[in-house]
Amino acid sequence: MPSVYIKTYGCQMNERDSEAVAAQLVSKGYTLAKSETTADVVLLNTCSVRDMAEQKALNKMENLIGAARKKRPNVIFGFMGCMAQSRGKQLVDQLPDLDLVIGTQKFHRAAEYLDELLAGKRDKIVDVEEEKGSEATIREHLLSGAKASKAVSAFVSIMQGCNQYCTFCIVPYTRGEERSRTIEDVVVECQQLVAGGVKEITLLGQIVTSYGKRDIKVKDGKSAFVQLIEAVHEINGLERIRFTSPHPKGYGDDLVEAFGRLPKLCESAHLPLQSGSDRLLKLMHRGYTRERFITIIKQLRQSQPKIAVTTDIIVGFPGETEADFEETMSLCREVQFDNAYIFKYSQRKDTPAAEMPDQIPQELIEDRHLRLLTAVNEIAATRYDAFIGKTTEILVEGPSKKNPARMTGRTRCNRIVLFDGNSRHSGQLMDVKIERTGSFTLYGDPAILNLD
Ligand code: 5AD
């Protein structure tokens, strides 16, 4: 059977989509190739959030096609995901050797389309149509096979799309309208994963805090999303629940309170700030003020004192003045994020912000990026250092990719811990004593080996 290689760009949702496609292909008899240079089929799952991500995937595809043309002309090349969705047929016009373009509502058709291409029934396939019910089609996992047999942590897609329409963001156009799976459907998938050995589940969606808004009624003051977390929480054998990506306005009292009440819900909350300036927040169409944002974080820390708070920030949004930027800096100093991802504003076609006046020159974006990055990293480092000498629970994921002699795991507040262990620690929940910190990494010593 043909072998397939899938390379993924971008977010965890994309990682999950790729896994579902891989699982689907494996179930149809395809094998997973070790390298892109030996595969019969190469699929790039793409990201459109910033221009750089699109350029990377385009360059990669050009190089792959160029290299294969002489030696292996029958290789099938395809784009999937967000850039496939937003550019569609244009990609085939630009790269005539491209065979397949699969949009964000069509991942489940990958096997069928590849079969047709490989059998020579069709020459090229571009499918970026909408499909009703596609939100429930990302459900297959790689539960068997060498790589997957040790999976302790799994991603589960609970919804697709976003209706927030932040003015800088392309996601509503690439992922479509919000569509949610039912609670029962998600729970069944989680139960199966836990039965297969999974101990940690991350609930995924482009705006998970809007889960089920249209279809599931608020019950006892609890939103659909909190009802879903509670239902997943009931699963015996599941140890940890996470979710991404949320919107700050989704941290209502019910979710804030859940962090203090539900022991499996990990002490880690991501709240994408984007800007600390009320003026820019409004232009961005974020739906909260600086004050409201700070209040949510105070409430979260009250509800769950151990919570780690992370964020995303964009510098150089159109019209950003030095005073606006200073508001972002001061908010970061006040809130003290455990980690912050700083993005340089990237103009996205057809988004409202792309047409706004006062686009910021690149040098100024670079300058603000460096200043903010330096400030937030300094704060984050002090919060990492605070772990030194403390004992903390980690879930061991396996050997570290960079140095396989070391094992890697995660704390409940989502920090990576490296320690000298061996493969029998894989999949275990265990305590480690943190001895030192590195760049966004903790180094631990297995304090008590509480192996089952
Ligand atoms: N330019 C720069 N960063 C962006 N993000 C989303 N759209 C853009 C854009 N046009 C960032 C936001 C979001 C993260 C996933 O990517 O900070 O939270």
Side-chain angles (χ1 to χ4, degrees):
M1 272 307 266
S3 66
V4 54
Y5 187 86
I6 304 177
K7 185 172 169 63
T8 310
Y9 296 84
C11 63
Q12 284 156 315
M13 281 69 90
N14 287 7
E15 294 286 348
R16 173 72 195 102
D17 296 337
S18 294
E19 187 205 5
V21 170
Q24 175 201 138
L25 293 174
V26 167
S27 77
K28 296 271 165 24
Y30 287 76
T31 59
L32 298 180
K34 292 231 159 39
S35 124
E36 60 203 28
T37 53
T38 56
D40 303 309
V41 175
V42 180
L43 300 174
L44 302 188
N45 194 6
T46 56
C47 169
S48 289
V49 164
R50 285 171 297 278
D51 186 54
M52 206 172 67
E54 292 205 345
Q55 294 311 324
K56 261 196 207 164
L58 284 168
N59 289 340
K60 180 79 186 172
M61 187 60 90
E62 266 181 38
N63 292 340
L64 288 172
I65 288 176
R69 197 176 285 140
K70 283 179 228 136
K71 290 186 210 142
R72 303 182 334 116
N74 295 327
V75 177
I76 302 279
F77 288 103
F79 275 126
M80 308 190 289
C82 287
M83 186 175 68
Q85 184 68 42
S86 66
R87 299 196 180 198
K89 186 179 165 300
Q90 196 192 317
L91 289 166
V92 181
D93 298 338
Q94 189 180 342
L95 294 164
D97 289 337
L98 190 66
D99 305 284
L100 180 61
V101 178
I102 298 181
T104 53
Q105 305 198 20
K106 298 290 178 176
F107 291 112
H108 57 294
R109 301 233 184 257
E112 176 190 328
Y113 290 156
L114 286 176
D115 285 349
E116 288 178 339
L117 290 167
L118 286 159
K121 284 190 197 146
R122 290 171 76 179
D123 183 36
K124 280 192 198 310
I125 300 175
V126 176
D127 189 356
V128 294
E129 294 295 303
E130 286 180 14
E131 186 171 321
K132 215 166 173 265
S134 64
E135 66 278 6
T137 56
I138 300 158
R139 56 189 318 139
E140 287 144 305
H141 290 261
L142 278 174
L143 278 178
S144 56
K147 194 180 153 212
S149 61
K150 294 207 181 74
V152 282
S153 183
F155 293 138
V156 172
S157 171
I158 63 167
M159 54 109 58
Q160 284 286 314
C162 182
N163 294 353
Q164 179 64 28
Y165 289 94
C166 298
T167 54
F168 52 79
C169 189
I170 200 167
V171 167
Y173 312 97
T174 60
R175 290 279 177 171
E177 291 265 299
E178 287 169 15
R179 290 107 57 212
S180 297
R181 297 172 66 185
T182 63
I183 293 181
E184 300 73 46
D185 197 25
V186 173
V187 168
V188 167
E189 184 175 330
C190 293
Q191 281 167 337
Q192 285 165 352
L193 287 164
V194 173
V198 164
K199 293 183 178 159
E200 175 181 85
I201 284 178
T202 304
L203 305 173
L204 288 182
Q206 279 78 37
I207 179 160
V208 281
T209 40
S210 294
Y211 169 81
K213 271 222 167 111
R214 257 184 291 180
D215 321 307
I216 303 167
K217 282 206 192 83
V218 173
K219 206 164 93 191
D220 305 330
K222 289 171 195 160
S223 60
F225 184 52
V226 171
Q227 292 175 45
L228 174 72
I229 294 175
E230 286 185 345
V232 173
H233 198 274
E234 293 280 302
I235 299 172
N236 282 331
L238 179 65
E239 306 274 358
R240 292 176 166 195
I241 302 171
R242 304 184 186 281
F243 56 81
T244 204
S245 51
H247 189 288
K249 70 175 188 180
Y251 286 86
D253 291 347
D254 59 336
L255 183 56
V256 167
E257 182 262 350
F259 277 100
R261 177 169 58 93
L262 299 175
K264 296 180 185 177
L265 186 57
C266 286
E267 296 89 347
S268 140
H270 188 60
L271 282 92
L273 169 67
Q274 312 306 359
S275 171
S277 149
D278 280 339
R279 197 180 71 82
L280 285 202
L281 287 171
K282 199 159 181 202
L283 284 174
M284 289 174 163
H285 193 232
R286 290 295 288 170
Y288 53 85
T289 59
R290 172 193 176 90
E291 194 190 337
R292 171 75 190 127
F293 185 89
I294 293 172
T295 303
I296 298 168
I297 292 181
K298 280 193 187 137
Q299 290 172 337
L300 278 167
R301 285 178 171 156
Q302 241 160 29
S303 169
Q304 177 46 266
K306 286 194 210 147
I307 206 158
V309 179
T310 57
T311 198
D312 293 344
I313 298 171
I314 297 177
V315 292
F317 182 84
E320 184 185 66
T321 63
E322 191 56 32
D324 292 319
F325 177 68
E326 194 40 56
E327 292 270 284
T328 303
M329 285 281 250
S330 73
L331 189 148
C332 291
R333 284 191 288 262
E334 181 174 344
V335 163
Q336 303 264 309
F337 293 109
D338 290 272
N339 212 343
Y341 302 92
I342 316 295
F343 299 101
K344 298 171 198 164
Y345 172 71
S346 169
Q347 228 170 341
R348 308 314 296 129
K349 203 171 142 282
D350 299 331
T351 59
E355 309 301 324
M356 286 182 187
D358 304 321
Q359 299 284 326
I360 307 293
Q362 201 57 36
E363 312 88 73
L364 191 52
I365 294 185
E366 299 288 340
D367 175 65
R368 287 181 184 161
H369 180 258
L370 185 63
R371 281 159 63 199
L372 187 57
L373 195 66
T374 310
V376 296
N377 283 355
E378 228 167 77
I379 295 165
T382 64
R383 295 185 70 88
Y384 271 75
D385 288 347
F387 273 83
I388 296 174
K390 296 208 170 112
T391 297
T392 179
E393 180 204 274
I394 61 167
L395 178 60
V396 184
E397 289 169 7
S400 153
K401 273 194 195 121
K402 273 195 207 142
N403 176 1
R406 279 208 179 111
M407 300 298 284
T408 176
R410 262 170 216 272
T411 66
R412 289 177 55 95
C413 49
N414 214 12
R415 289 181 170 89
I416 292 170
V417 178
L418 296 176
F419 66 101
D420 290 324
N422 57 48
S423 56
R424 94 197 140 89
H425 295 131
S426 274
Q428 298 291 329
L429 279 170
M430 59 188 273
D431 287 336
V432 290
K433 191 169 172 203
I434 303 305
E435 301 197 303
R436 62 191 172 91
T437 62
S439 160
F440 299 105
T441 310
L442 302 173
Y443 290 88
D445 187 24
I448 313 150
L449 292 184
N450 54 352
L451 300 177
D452 295 334

